[in-house]
Amino acid sequence: MPIDPTLPYDDHNVFAKILRGEIPNRTVYEDEWALAFHDINPQAPTHVLVIPKGPYVSWDDFSAGASAEEIAGFVRAVGHVARSLGLVEPGYRLLANIGQHGHQEVPHLHVHLFGGKPLGPMLARFD
Ligand code: 5GP
């Protein structure tokens, strides 16, 4: 079920538990600002999630409320992960789902990083 993006941050969401080490994950990268780990249900040969360490529900509150250091650290971590996985050439896709229409299911900001094969058109046709 998509989340309600207007709700406050829920400390019991699955990615908060992963950050606290209460749920195992297959870590790809970690630094002061971000954690990257393999998606449990991969949609491409490479499907990694990158999450900020701070308590942000989505791209919406992160972009509005995070500090410049948090934003820079997170964005740099996403780029670092893609480079370290060898995805820059031939390319990859980033995706962030936000709220109901974005079909966001986990209420902690995450960027999906897909790669490892030609990924096709961005979205299915809407008509
Ligand atoms: P969303 O629809 O919110 O953008 O995507 C949530 C993603 O989190 C899904 O791709 C789902 O497979 C992944 N996910 C959900 N629970 C877990 C978990 O416990 N561990 C990992 N590694 N990924 C998870």
Side-chain angles (χ1 to χ4, degrees), residues 7-75:
L7 291 176
Y9 186 80
D10 171 13
D11 218 22
H12 299 293
N13 78 77
V14 67
F15 293 168
K17 292 178 181 173
I18 284 176
L19 279 173
R20 290 195 296 268
E22 296 167 11
I23 292 177
N25 73 91
R26 291 171 56 219
T27 298
V28 173
Y29 176 74
E30 181 169 15
D31 66 17
E32 181 181 358
W33 306 109
L35 176 69
F37 51 95
H38 291 281
D39 195 290
I40 202 167
N41 183 25
Q43 307 291 314
T46 299
H47 183 176
V48 167
L49 302 170
V50 190
I51 67 175
K53 293 240 168 131
Y56 298 99
V57 173
S58 76
W59 188 268
D60 181 60
D61 64 334
F62 185 70
S63 59
S67 69
E69 289 83 1
E70 287 176 297
I71 292 172
F74 180 65
V75 171

Side-chain angles (χ1 to χ4, degrees), residues 66-112:
S67 69
E69 289 83 1
E70 287 176 297
I71 292 172
F74 180 65
V75 171
R76 286 195 187 282
V78 173
H80 174 83
V81 169
R83 284 189 294 278
S84 71
L85 292 172
L87 295 175
V88 176
E89 186 57 49
Y92 62 99
R93 179 171 294 159
L94 298 178
L95 176 73
N97 295 318
I98 296 107
Q100 298 272 342
H101 280 195
H103 209 274
Q104 180 181 1
E105 294 194 323
V106 177
H108 183 114
L109 169 61
H110 48 285
V111 169
H112 297 258

